[in-house]
């Protein structure tokens, strides 16, 4: 189960990278080249969502769910181990003045 979830996680990660890199920026038009936003909104003009933005949203949700699922599965399988559980601790007494 863990290997399948890791495989899905990697595939979704690569797909998400590709979809984000294919998208154009908000100010990719001619007005954006000269600093204009083309609208008076706070975050720039927002058009209707196209296929790439929907794919980005869905793949981001799947990426987050597989991340949470992997965290839960790996924490259950490894038990209660700390990062420092294998190291030896030495106690020292403070120096006297």
């Amino acid at each position: 189960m863990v290997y399948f979830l890791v495989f899905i996680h990697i595939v979704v990660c690569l797909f998400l990278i590709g979809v984000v890199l294919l998208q154009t920026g908000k100010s990719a038009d001619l007005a954006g080249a000269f600093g204009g936003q083309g609208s008076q909104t706070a975050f720039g003009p927002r058009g209707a969502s196209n296929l790439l933005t929907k794919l980005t949203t869905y793949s981001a949700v799947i990426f987050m769910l597989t991340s949470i699922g992997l965290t839960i599965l790996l924490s259950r399988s490894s038990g209660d181990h700390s990062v420092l559980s294998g190291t030896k601790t030495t106690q020292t007494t403070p120096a006297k003045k």
Side-chain angles (χ1 to χ4, degrees):
M1 178 68 177
V2 174
Y3 293 117
F4 176 72
L5 205 56
V6 168
F7 176 74
I8 296 296
H9 188 71
I10 291 172
V11 168
V12 169
C13 178
L14 294 174
F15 180 76
L16 184 62
I17 290 170
V19 170
V20 168
L21 288 177
L22 284 175
Q23 292 181 8
T24 59
K26 286 190 300 185
S27 301
D29 55 353
L30 185 61
F34 298 107
Q37 290 293 323
S39 179
Q40 297 298 325
T41 59
F43 298 109
R46 181 172 171 93
S49 62
N50 57 6
L51 180 66
L52 286 178
T53 57
K54 289 180 182 180
L55 288 176
T56 304
T57 304
Y58 294 143
S59 59
V61 168
I62 293 171
F63 179 79
M64 289 181 217
L65 290 176
T66 56
S67 297
I68 292 170
L70 280 171
T71 303
I72 291 171
L73 283 175
L74 292 176
S75 69
R76 286 183 181 174
S77 66
S78 66
D80 292 331
H81 295 316
S82 173
V83 176
L84 299 174
S85 64
T87 61
K88 294 186 178 192
T89 58
T90 59
Q91 285 187 334
T92 58
T93 57
K96 294 184 180 182
K97 292 183 183 179

